[in-house]
Each structure stands twice: as C-alpha cells, then as structure tokens.
Amino acid sequence: MLSEELRNKYQLIIGLEVHAQLLTQSKMFAADANEYGKSPNTQISAITLGHPGTLPKVNRKAIAFAVKMGLACNSEITRYNVFARKNYFYPDLPKGYQLTQDKGPICVGGRVPVQLPDWTKKEVILNRVHMEEDAGKSIHLADEPDTLVDFNRAGTPLIEIVTEPVLTSPEEAYAFLSEVKKLVKYLDICDGNMEEGSLRCDANVSVMLKGSAELGKKVEVKNMNSFRNVFRAIEHEHERLVGLLEAGEEVVSETRTFDADSGTTASMRTKEDLNDYRYFPEPDLSPVVISDEWLNAVKSTMPLLPRELYKKFVEEFGLPEYDASFLTESKDVALWFNKLCTKTQNYKAASNWMMGPVKSTLGDYSLSDDYPISHEILAELIALVEDGKVSYTAASQTLFAELMKSPGESPMDLAERLNLIQESDESSLRPIVEEVLASNTAKVKEYKSGKKGLMGLFMGQVMQRSHGKADPKVATKLLTELLEK
Ligand code: ADP
Ligand code: MG
C-alpha cells in the first residue's frame, strides 16, 4: 500500500484503449458469420484468410455502429474514411496485416460523462474512436506441446475507443469502463461481455510529480479480463512506478502483462523492440464516404442514452440519484420503467417496485421480452397500494407472486379472491381499535403519560385482530384520535 505522503507527492495518470467487438452478423470485410463460440475454423472464408486474389468489402453496418458510438460520445464524425494496413507477422494474423484506421479515425475527440462512487461526476475526454478488424486466436492448451490457431475471430469488426490521458485513479478507470459497457449495450452495438472478450481494455499508466507540466513515461498493461482486474492492474502499476521513482530509477516505456492470480504485472516487450508497422492506405478498398443522408439515417436510430434517462428520472420524476442509477444500469430496466411511468404518476413507488419485487425476478425473467407482468398490471398494483386497498406487504409478496404465475389476471379481482383487501373503512376498523385499547388499560395510561412509543404495540394488536388487513394509515389515525381523547 502506498503511503498517504507518496500519494500526495505523485500524480497517477491513466489513458485507456478499449476494444469493442461489434454485433454485426458478418465480418468487417467478408461475409463469414461473426459468431462467438463456434467450432474452431468454421467461420472463415478465403477473404478472412487473406488468400491471394481475394478482395475485402466494407460492412456498412459496422460503419453505422461506429458512427453511433461517436454520436453517443459527442465526437466529430469523419466523413471521408480510409482504412490502413498495419503490417506485422503473427500466427493468428493470416494476412500479415490488420486493417485499421491510422490517420483520420471515424470519430474524432468526444467525451463520456461518468459517475464516480462518491456521486461526483467527471467528463472523460476521448482522443478518438476508430474502426479495425480483430485477429484470430492462438490457443495454448496446458497439455499440448503445440500452439493451436483458431481463425474464427479474424476479421470481426471492432471499434477502439481511446481516451486522452485524463483518468487519475483506478476508480475513475472503472467508472469509465462501466459507462462504455452501458453505452454499447444501450446502442446495441456490442454485448459488452468481457469474459468472452467482446470488450477488452489496455491501460496506459504513468506517474509524475504533482504539479509537473510534463507527463511521466507510461507503461501499457494488457490481458485484464474484467473491470476488477483493470482496477487491480492500475493499482499495482501505481505502486510499482512510484517505487521506481522513489528509488531513483527510471521508468521504462514498455508493454506489460497482468497476472490475475498474483495481481502483479510482468514485462512483455519494451518500446525499443517496437514493431514498425509500416502503415499505408489499403489499396483494395475505396474510401468510405459518410453522406449527410447516411449520417441522418444513423442519427434517427439513436436510442435514448442512459445519461438522458438518468436526467429524466431525476429531474422530471424527482427520483433520488440512487434510484436513477439503479434504474439506468441496464437498458431493459430503464426502458421498462420509463414506460411504466406512462401508466402511473407515482414515480417513487414505481421505482421502489423496480428495485424490490421486479429486480428479484430478473434472474429468471427478462424485461426485454415476455415479462409476465405488464406495465398496466404493475401500475394497477401500485394504485391498489396507494389507495390503501392492499398493504404493500400483501401486494409485493402475495399478489405480485400470484400475478407472475397468472399473467393477465386483474390485481383487484385477485386481491379480493385471496382476501387481501385492507380494512380502510373507518367504521369497520373502529370497533377493533376500541377493543385493543379496552384490553390494554394499563398501557393506555402509560401512553397518555408520555410513553408514545407504545403506539407500535397498539398497531401490532390492531393488525393481529384484523388479520393483517387493517390499513395502517387509517388505523393510526383512529388510534391517535381515541388515545388523545
Ligand atoms: P502510443 O504512441 O504509445 O500508442 P498514444 O499517444 O497513441 O501512445 O496513446 C495511447 C494511449 O496512452 C492513450 O489512451 C493515451 O491517453 C495514453 N497515454 C499517452 N501518454 C500517457 C501517459 N504519459 N500516461 C498515461 N497514459 C498515457
Ligand atoms: Mg497510439
């Protein structure tokens, strides 16, 4: 652990490079299926394998997806896009080069607002979002002497989101990644699955003396397969780099690999043996020009973004930020809740239902299709509780579970059938309240001499005698009335 003093002496700086695999049906430059988890080397074509004489063709959908991301990040969209060959040799790169964008990325600049754990907000400035294709995969099995190669992934469309060196803590890096994951899922352009490698992140880390005008030398850390591990890798590098500087040593610009078991990093290659990729424009592809019509067509498919819904939930619905944060965490929940709020005006109650009973069913059911309870039914349930017809306990426990089993049934009918309608009628509750007070004369005296806490005991007995059906609001009113007499 770094001492407080060293934390104050040095400034940690992080820049992230995030790769997101796009959810297109076919590959970036070929018609083979872009599908994860298929038998090795079945999702490949001569184009993907770079056989001589084959010609790549651009996937329009992938371009549109990259533009969507740029629009969501307020980037400037480049209209005239050129692909470049990045040349290097690797067994999982059959063509001997990767098609990417070098100068002139499709999205220039931009910013992603993120929320930190202490509820403060920060705008993370982007350098760019560019398009490229994925490589195949080398597989090193434990008991195999040989390395195996699976080309299925080769040619999968990717966007790479590159931040400026503006993040200053592992918490900020984590928050940024969470926001990017949320964004790509809302936009429906990537499934955001880090375990399957659909979302991958390299972290560039440096430290410098606080107040210094020049950034320190950076290291790039690779191979973190979860947000948590990105966090750990940054923490580890923070300590290691400060340790180096404190010992009077120099930081070497290098690429390091993270080991999740030990939580440490090890050098992979230094910048000295950096490849010269010899970028040059891909001669087999004509530039992709994004016309006004195309750009407008993409704009018209933009969904509501999580931050827009967040703002609406807080400002229009008056919900606490905590609620808005939960409600916008997943697109399914956000859109479902947003629609629920066209059926009820009781936004806070609706939010509580989402955070409680609805959430507890989301392991088994999905809100994106065929959720057993409709917006209308849940709105009715909320109204039943609000009108004092059914207690929240009865509604959220019994009625809700019954409605999950028999979709379409009317909550009111069901409540009647299950005998859950509350006694909110004063004239029928009054005798019960009177009985309770009559059988507790000693306690009533204590109450009247100041022990107001006894109210709970009277309420409990009213509930018991009414078999849980007394409307607490009405019962409290009657009790207060009779006790203050
Ligand atoms: P390179 O030329 O080594 O690829 P770039 O300037 O293209 O470096 O930046 C790559 C990533 O590294 C970006 O995300 C950028 O924000 C980040 N980065 C650049 N310099 C630093 C630094 N000194 N400390 C931390 N991150 C940095
Ligand atoms: Mg670079």
Side-chain angles (χ1 to χ4, degrees):
M1 273 290 275
L2 276 179
S3 68
E4 201 56 30
E5 189 198 340
L6 288 178
R7 277 178 196 279
N8 290 333
K9 183 170 172 189
Y10 293 96
Q11 177 64 56
L12 171 67
I13 297 286
I14 306 145
L16 297 179
E17 295 166 286
V18 184
H19 284 93
Q21 285 183 339
L22 300 179
L23 283 172
T24 53
Q25 283 181 310
S26 55
K27 298 222 175 133
M28 185 75 219
F29 302 106
D32 12 332
N34 171 24
E35 233 178 306
Y36 178 83
K38 293 286 172 180
S39 292
N41 298 311
T42 56
Q43 314 297 105
I44 51 177
S45 65
I47 300 178
T48 297
L49 296 178
H51 286 191
T54 55
L55 286 174
K57 221 175 147 181
V58 172
N59 183 332
R60 275 179 69 92
K61 193 136 191 203
I63 306 280
F65 282 4
V67 171
K68 271 183 146 177
M69 189 62 182
L71 291 172
C73 299
N74 290 305
S75 308
E76 192 186 316
I77 307 297
T78 303
R79 300 304 195 92
Y80 186 87
N81 286 278
V82 178
F83 284 95
R85 287 191 188 181
K86 179 182 182 179
N87 300 283
Y88 64 96
F89 172 80
Y90 205 74
D92 63 17
L93 190 75
K95 295 193 290 199
Y97 58 84
Q98 177 193 25
L99 285 184
T100 178
Q101 291 190 295
D102 179 25
K103 313 248 159 27
I106 187 159
C107 314
V108 180
R111 49 189 194 277
V112 177
V114 301
Q115 179 156 292
L116 301 168
D118 64 0
W119 299 97
T120 57
K121 294 174 176 43
K122 173 173 178 127
E123 292 230 312
V124 177
I125 308 300
L126 297 187
N127 174 278
R128 53 152 67 191
V129 179
H130 68 254
M131 292 180 293
E132 59 187 31
E133 59 177 337
D134 214 339
K137 218 186 222 166
S138 299
I139 299 162
H140 319 281
L141 293 176
D143 300 323
E144 288 277 342
D146 302 318
T147 290
L148 306 170
V149 185
D150 176 8
F151 289 121
N152 282 352
R153 196 177 72 176
T156 297
L158 294 177
I159 48 172
E160 181 175 338
I161 304 142
V162 183
T163 76
E164 291 292 347
V166 289
L167 299 157
T168 59
S169 67
E171 286 81 8
E172 287 184 8
Y174 192 102
F176 174 75
L177 287 173
S178 310
E179 193 60 31
V180 165
K181 175 172 174 171
K182 219 191 289 180
L183 270 181
V184 295
K185 291 181 77 170
Y186 268 74
L187 295 170
D188 233 346
I189 61 174
C190 170
D191 64 22
N193 192 328
M194 236 180 153
E195 291 77 50
E196 292 182 359
S198 332
L199 206 60
R200 307 196 289 269
C201 171
D202 302 334
N204 299 273
V205 186
S206 68
V207 295
M208 61 179 178
L209 281 173
K210 274 218 173 132
S212 163
E214 209 177 309
L215 294 181
K217 266 197 192 162
K218 73 175 161 79
V219 294
E220 182 176 359
V221 192
K222 291 182 175 296
N223 297 327
M224 292 84 74
N225 63 354
S226 67
F227 292 178
R228 177 78 206 130
N229 283 340
V230 174
F231 189 104
R232 292 171 68 208
I234 293 171
E235 256 189 339
H236 176 262
E237 279 310 299
H238 186 189
E239 284 184 28
R240 195 183 66 83
L241 295 177
V242 167
L244 281 178
L245 295 185
E246 281 291 294
E249 289 174 45
E250 273 216 32
V251 174
V252 192
S253 295
E254 61 183 352
T255 304
R256 300 178 70 86
T257 177
F258 179 69
D259 175 49
D261 291 334
S262 62
T264 61
T265 63
S267 181
M268 280 167 84
R269 54 177 182 266
T270 60
K271 283 273 166 181
E272 278 80 71
D273 35 72
L274 190 70
N275 294 305
D276 180 354
Y277 293 116
R278 299 255 168 175
Y279 286 95
F280 67 85
E282 163 62 50
D284 287 340
L285 283 172
S286 43
V288 176
V289 178
I290 300 170
S291 64
D292 288 350
E293 291 76 17
W294 192 7
L295 185 58
N296 287 332
V298 176
K299 278 186 184 158
S300 72
T301 65
M302 288 293 281
L304 280 172
L305 296 176
R307 60 173 172 271
E308 292 164 348
L309 287 161
Y310 188 100
K311 193 161 183 263
K312 177 175 180 182
F313 296 168
V314 171
E315 291 179 5
E316 258 177 62
F317 295 170
L319 294 175
E321 293 210 70
Y322 177 87
D323 293 40
S325 183
F326 167 82
L327 292 165
T328 53
E329 192 54 45
S330 102
K331 185 183 185 181
D332 290 354
V333 172
L335 295 185
W336 207 90
F337 175 75
N338 196 37
K339 188 163 172 199
L340 174 62
C341 291
T342 62
K343 317 278 175 197
T344 175
Q345 236 99 75
N346 203 333
Y347 307 127
K348 180 57 183 146
S351 168
N352 291 344
W353 274 89
M354 296 302 291
M355 295 192 291
V358 173
K359 181 182 168 203
S360 70
T361 61
L362 294 183
D364 300 318
Y365 300 92
S366 158
L367 286 172
S368 61
D369 52 22
D370 286 344
Y371 191 69
I373 293 182
S374 68
H375 303 88
E376 289 78 8
I377 298 280
L378 188 53
E380 269 181 66
L381 216 43
I382 292 170
L384 282 185
V385 176
E386 192 50 25
D387 298 344
K389 297 234 166 51
V390 182
S391 72
Y392 177 73
T393 311
S396 60
Q397 288 169 12
T398 316
L399 266 186
F400 185 77
E402 285 301 315
L403 286 164
M404 286 297 287
K405 282 187 269 173
S406 44
E409 186 135 17
S410 141
M412 184 64 187
D413 292 352
L414 198 58
E416 271 168 359
R417 191 141 49 75
L418 297 174
N419 202 17
L420 295 172
I421 303 294
Q422 284 190 137
E423 265 334 320
S424 53
D425 177 15
E426 278 194 31
S427 55
S428 55
L429 266 185
R430 186 178 287 268
I432 299 179
V433 173
E434 282 169 349
E435 258 173 63
V436 167
L437 295 184
S439 59
N440 283 291
T441 42
K443 297 279 180 211
V444 169
K445 241 195 207 135
E446 284 180 45
Y447 178 92
K448 288 189 171 166
S449 65
K451 261 184 110 180
K452 301 291 177 203
L454 283 167
M455 186 56 118
L457 177 125
F458 301 137
M459 261 305 268
Q461 295 198 8
V462 171
M463 278 299 169
Q464 216 168 26
R465 285 183 196 233
S466 70
H467 305 286
K469 285 163 51 182
D471 179 340
K473 265 187 262 164
V474 181
T476 310
K477 177 171 166 271
L478 284 173
L479 276 168
T480 320
E481 214 176 280
L482 294 176
L483 282 164
E484 309 289 315
K485 236 184 1 200

